[in-house]
Structures are given as structure tokens and as C-alpha cells.
């Protein structure tokens, strides 16, 4: 796992190996117990499942540096479906919501969890926004929503490197190019600098640019019929 790799792009077995190698003995033992509990009692049981309690404990047990990864692993071990991740997201802290967003590509194959992405995109929490524009959003956001997600990143200062499949979805997107141009003009008219990332995305929309190589199964892309 290379430094800075988004959690949503790391297969759970690789993420577990990475985390196990870095945790001290006590948090490592706690994580192993938590994953075993989640695997043994997946889904939803009663007012709150044991694995949901472990998600809430992860920051205290594993430390803030590793809490997101631990929560993603617990969600995966619990085989959380769209209903379960919606429950965790709606009741969770910002950190727990971020973990849910990171975990979505591993857990929900269809667009059922899109309301969670849409909710995160309405916030100004940059860490939540970074998680929201990962692979799940790239597969399932419609063109209009996806374009506004890119603009939201530029507006809030979230690096566009966080936007999964940016090259593919921006390619030959004339409407995105128009929106970027309007935003740049507004910034310039107000005497404000235009983000460097805006120029990068604008270049990707060029219809003469070389299209990105296919990268496997996809959802809705960035072009409209």
C-alpha cells in the first residue's frame, strides 16, 4: 500500500495486512477481536450490533492515524449492506461517516448508497468531501451531480487527485468545460486566484486529448447523450 493511497482503492486483505504490520500489540489484538466479532455476527442485530460499537471505539483503540482503516475493515467483515451502512452513516460522527464512504466500493455494488455520497457533498468538511468523490461516486453519480462534485472540490480546496476516475469522466465533457470556464471567470472578476487544479481539469475536457485507457467495469460516465 503506497503512502497516500485512498482507502477505497485498497482491497480489504491488503488493508488488513498493512494495518496489522503497523499497529502496536494491544490495538492489533483489539482489531483482530473486532473483526472476528463482526464476521461471526454480521448484519444488524437488535438496537445496535456489536460491530457498530467497535466502529465507535476504533479511534480510541487504534489511534486517529489508523481509525479510518480499522473502521473500513470492520464494515467489510460485517458484510454491511446498503441499509447497514446507511444506519452507521446517519448515526455516526464525521470520522465514522468518512469510513463508510471509503468502504462503499467494497460493500454496495449498485447505486443504493448514493444518498450518503450526496449528503457528504453538501458539507464543507474537506475530509468528508475527499472520501465522497472516491470510486463509488465515479461509478454511480450522474453527470450533473459529478460535475458539481468536481466544482465543490475546487471551491473548498480539496485536491482533484481525490476524485476517482477524473481523467475518464472529464474526457470530452463540454458541459464541465463550460462550468469550469464560468467559475474561472467569476474568480478573476472578483480578483481572486484561479485554482491550479481548475486548469488541470479543464485540460482533461479537451476533445482532442488522448482518451484514458479502460480500467474495468464502470457505472455512469461523465458524458451525456
Amino acid at each position: 500500500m503506497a503512502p497516500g493511497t485512498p482507502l477505497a482503492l485498497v482491497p480489504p486483505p491488503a488493508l488488513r495486512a498493512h494495518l496489522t504490520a503497523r499497529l502496536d500489540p494491544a490495538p492489533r489484538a483489539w482489531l483482530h477481536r473486532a473483526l472476528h466479532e463482526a464476521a461471526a455476527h454480521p448484519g444488524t442485530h437488535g438496537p445496535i450490533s456489536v460491530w457498530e460499537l467497535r466502529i465507535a471505539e476504533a479511534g480510541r483503540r487504534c489511534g486517529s492515524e489508523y481509525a479510518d482503516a480499522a473502521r473500513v475493515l470492520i464494515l467489510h467483515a460485517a458484510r454491511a449492506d446498503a441499509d447497514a451502512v446507511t444506519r452507521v452513516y446517519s448515526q455516526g460522527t464525521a470520522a465514522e461517516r468518512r469510513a463508510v464512504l471509503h468502504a462503499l466500493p467494497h460493500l454496495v455494488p449498485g447505486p443504493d448508497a448514493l444518498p450518503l455520497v450526496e449528503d457528504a457533498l453538501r458539507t464543507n468538511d474537506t475530509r468528508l468531501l475527499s472520501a465522497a468523490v472516491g470510486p463509488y461516486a465515479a461509478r454511480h453519480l450522474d453527470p450533473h451531480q459529478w460535475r458539481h462534485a468536481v466544482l465543490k472540490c475546487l471551491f473548498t480546496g480539496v485536491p482533484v487527485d481525490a476524485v476517482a476516475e477524473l481523467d475518464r469522466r472529464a474526457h470530452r465533457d463540454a458541459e464541465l468545460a463550460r462550468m469550469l470556464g464560468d467559475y474561472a471567470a467569476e474568480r478573476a472578476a472578483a480578483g481572486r486566484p484561479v485554482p491550479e487544479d481548475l486548469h488541470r481539469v479543464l485540460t482533461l475536457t479537451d476533445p482532442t486529448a488522448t482518451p484514458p485507457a479502460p480500467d474495468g467495469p464502470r457505472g455512469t460516465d461523465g458524458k451525456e447523450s
Side-chain angles (χ1 to χ4, degrees):
M1 177 176 168
T5 302
L7 293 179
L9 296 179
V10 183
L15 185 60
R16 181 170 183 173
H18 174 82
L19 197 55
T20 297
R22 283 156 180 78
L23 288 175
D24 289 335
R28 184 166 60 242
W30 176 87
L31 178 63
H32 288 171
R33 288 194 301 271
L35 296 178
H36 176 76
E37 288 174 336
H41 303 286
T44 303
H45 301 275
I48 188 167
S49 300
V50 172
W51 60 266
E52 293 179 65
L53 296 174
R54 301 298 173 252
I55 285 176
E57 293 176 14
R60 177 167 55 87
R61 296 286 192 169
C62 297
S64 58
E65 182 178 359
Y66 300 116
D68 280 6
R71 291 183 177 115
V72 169
L73 288 173
I74 293 169
L75 285 162
H76 186 263
R79 303 190 288 282
D81 58 12
D83 289 341
V85 295
T86 298
R87 169 172 163 159
V88 173
Y89 183 95
S90 64
Q91 297 178 356
T93 64
E96 290 159 20
R97 292 182 173 197
R98 189 169 63 241
V100 167
L101 295 169
H102 285 311
L104 289 181
H106 306 302
L107 298 173
V108 184
D112 297 353
L114 263 182
L116 309 186
V117 173
E118 293 164 355
D119 179 82
L121 290 173
R122 287 191 289 269
T123 75
N124 289 316
D125 182 329
T126 55
R127 296 185 69 187
L128 205 58
L129 288 171
S130 293
V133 292
Y136 191 81
R139 294 171 194 161
H140 300 297
L141 279 180
D142 67 34
H144 177 76
Q145 292 173 309
W146 186 82
R147 293 179 188 123
H148 280 277
V150 173
L151 266 291
K152 185 67 175 276
C153 288
L154 294 171
F155 179 76
T156 57
V158 172
V160 295
D161 283 340
V163 181
E165 300 188 40
L166 176 66
D167 291 16
R168 176 181 71 81
R169 292 209 56 168
H171 183 63
R172 303 188 69 171
D173 190 333
E175 178 60 16
L176 178 59
R178 183 196 66 77
M179 293 169 67
L180 293 170
D182 289 349
Y183 180 58
E186 291 173 8
R187 299 280 297 184
R192 297 177 179 176
V194 177
E196 284 296 321
D197 272 356
L198 185 147
H199 298 294
R200 175 185 167 191
V201 180
L202 192 58
T203 299
L204 294 173
T205 67
D206 184 349
T208 66
T210 302
D215 54 1
R218 298 169 180 169
T220 303
D221 71 15
K223 300 183 284 296
E224 293 174 328
S225 58

